[in-house]
Structure formats: structure tokens, C-alpha cells
Amino acid sequence: MLQLHYRELGQGAPLVVLHGLFGTLDNWQTLARRWADAGHRVVSVDLRNHGRSPHSPEHTYALMAADVLGLFEQLGLGPDTTLLGHSMGGKVAMRFALDYPDRLAKLVVVDIAPRASDMHHQDEVLAGLNAVDFTQCTSRQAADDALARHISSFGVRQFLLKNLYRQDDNTFAWRVNLPVLTAQMADIGIEITGAQPFLKPALFINGGKSDYIDANDKLHGIPALFPNSQVATILDAGHWVHSEKPDEVFGLVQDFMGM
């Protein structure tokens, strides 16, 4: 169990927010401030091997859920807490809900299903991140140029470059634990299973242009583990639903927590 880095805003019923693969808590700060202003205690988290949280050679959903449980205990978060996770963070949130159901009131999962993924869609991202040679890279632009040889999308590169930082010796590095994430990418795609379903309310939010949640997930995969769930689709949004349609995500989660 690792002691995770987090940021806390506001007061009220708790909402804990978990980012996705290669992300940090900063990805959710605009929405976190809005939920805090709306009357919630919002705790945004850097998961292990991401952001400012510790690095570890192990990166499993059981361990990440246990890390989050440690944070719940550290902050005295009670069973009135809502846990929200996006993508990889959504799988952490599902694992947490299934392993520690008594610690939650509600679950929100953003654009991910419990089923397995082969993770080949991350091949170009991994190639780009691993192509950046920090013995030669002396600027953000140089890092972007190296990424661009593998990743054509400017938006994806800007998202990844949020992990770039200067070390004490003035050299650049990634905040993510890239060797471990590269080695364990297949494990990040594993299916989430449970001996018993999570019976409390769950909200799944998916982007209408994303294939991370499909029709079979809605009919079978999600209800099997989360029978008291609903799926809300935000049209004209892709996988990064919260950055593309923040007003819609804010409203859906705010309404769900108020139910």
C-alpha cells in the first residue's frame, strides 16, 4: 500500500476522483473546483506510478484499490463517499467498489467497461514516450518533436506533455513510471471481475464517439457486476469526455450525487 499524493477542495459529502492512464489529478481540477463550489469535499488523487505519487514495480488493480483504501483511512472518508474514475482510474474505482463496497455510497465510472482490452491502442503512445531521449532533450519543444514522430494528434501530445518536468539537476523526466507501465501494459487491460456484484448506485458515463463502452457492455457486462447502474451517453464526445464536454459531465455527476 502506497501513500498517494492528493489535493483536497471544499466541504460536504465526499467525492474522490481518479484519473486515467498517463494522467494526473491536474486533469480533473477544473471540474473538482466546480464540484467543491457546489458543496462537495473533493479529493483528487494521483494513482501509483503517476503524477506526484510514489513509483512501484507493481501496478495491479488490487494494489491500486488498496492504495485508495489507505487514502480513505488517512483522510477519514466515510461510507457517504462517491468514488469517480476515468479509464484506468475507472477500473480502479470498479475494483475498489467490488472489494470494499461498505466504504462507498455511489460509484461513477467515466468511459470504461469492466471487460478486457488488448491495449494495442496504446502502442503509439508508448513508442512516443519511450522515444524521448532525455540525455538529448533540453526543451519541451524537443520532447514534442520526439513524440510527434509516433503520435500525430496534437491534443494527445499536449496531454502527455503534462507529465514532463525538470528535475533538481535541471534535466527533464517523465512523472509517470514509464518502464513499469510499458512492461505491465497488458495487465492494465485486464477484465474486472467480482465474486459478488456491487449493489449500490453506479453511474457509467460514456462518450458517444468512443468505443470504450459498447452495446454488449451496456446490456451484459456492466449490469452483471453493477446491477443498480445506469449508462449516460454524452453525444459528440470521445474518450476524454470530461475535457471535451465538462458541463455535461459536471451536471450528470452533480445530479447523481444529489439523488
Side-chain angles (χ1 to χ4, degrees):
M1 185 184 297
L2 299 181
Q3 188 165 358
L4 300 177
H5 175 254
Y6 67 93
R7 189 175 298 152
E8 189 170 353
L9 296 167
Q11 296 179 330
L15 170 65
V16 176
V17 180
L18 310 178
H19 62 79
L21 180 63
F22 304 123
T24 73
L25 62 80
D26 291 334
N27 304 147
W28 283 85
Q29 281 311 281
T30 300
L31 278 167
R33 282 191 289 270
R34 290 182 66 179
W35 284 316
D37 289 343
H40 296 280
R41 177 190 181 190
V42 185
V43 180
S44 305
V45 182
D46 280 337
L47 294 166
R48 65 166 56 202
N49 294 318
H50 289 75
R52 291 172 173 79
S53 282
H55 286 188
S56 167
E58 298 178 291
H59 195 83
T60 69
Y61 286 114
L63 287 172
M64 286 188 279
D67 293 342
V68 175
L69 178 64
L71 186 64
F72 271 54
E73 293 173 347
Q74 177 187 343
L75 298 180
L77 294 167
D80 59 337
T81 302
T82 297
L83 180 61
L84 179 154
H86 170 244
S87 199
M88 181 191 73
K91 283 196 164 180
V92 177
M94 285 187 267
R95 179 77 277 146
F96 185 98
L98 293 163
D99 288 351
Y100 314 108
D102 293 342
R103 303 303 298 253
L104 292 182
K106 296 179 180 181
L107 172 70
V108 180
V109 177
V110 181
D111 212 57
I112 197 75
R115 64 177 157 88
S117 166
D118 63 18
M119 300 304 287
H120 287 316
H121 59 285
Q122 297 293 348
D123 288 351
E124 291 180 349
V125 170
L126 287 173
L129 289 170
N130 281 291
V132 180
D133 180 0
F134 287 117
T135 65
Q136 304 294 324
C137 176
T138 58
S139 69
R140 181 183 176 89
Q141 185 58 54
D144 186 43
D145 291 343
L147 288 175
R149 288 194 283 273
H150 298 273
I151 303 165
S152 59
S153 169
F154 176 77
V156 171
R157 297 201 308 274
Q158 292 305 297
F159 166 75
L160 295 170
L161 285 168
K162 292 178 181 178
N163 287 289
L164 191 68
Y165 79 108
R166 283 190 185 273
Q167 302 181 100
D168 292 340
D169 63 0
N170 211 38
T171 60
F172 282 104
W174 296 122
R175 289 204 182 277
V176 292
N177 188 348
L178 186 57
V180 165
L181 296 180
T182 300
Q184 300 191 24
M185 188 56 58
D187 291 333
I188 294 171
I190 66 166
E191 180 182 6
I192 299 298
T193 61
Q196 299 292 330
F198 178 74
L199 300 177
K200 295 175 182 177
L203 170 66
F204 284 73
I205 300 172
N206 78 294
K209 297 193 295 184
S210 169
D211 59 3
Y212 279 70
I213 296 177
D214 64 21
N216 190 59
D217 298 322
K218 295 175 184 178
L219 284 172
H220 304 292
I222 291 170
L225 288 174
F226 306 97
N228 190 13
S229 63
Q230 55 181 298
V231 179
T233 299
I234 298 178
L235 300 176
D236 203 31
H239 184 54
W240 283 281
V241 193
H242 53 293
S243 61
E244 296 176 41
K245 298 289 183 179
D247 291 345
E248 288 86 342
V249 172
F250 170 80
L252 282 169
V253 175
Q254 183 70 12
D255 290 347
F256 178 66
M257 288 190 292
M259 290 170 62

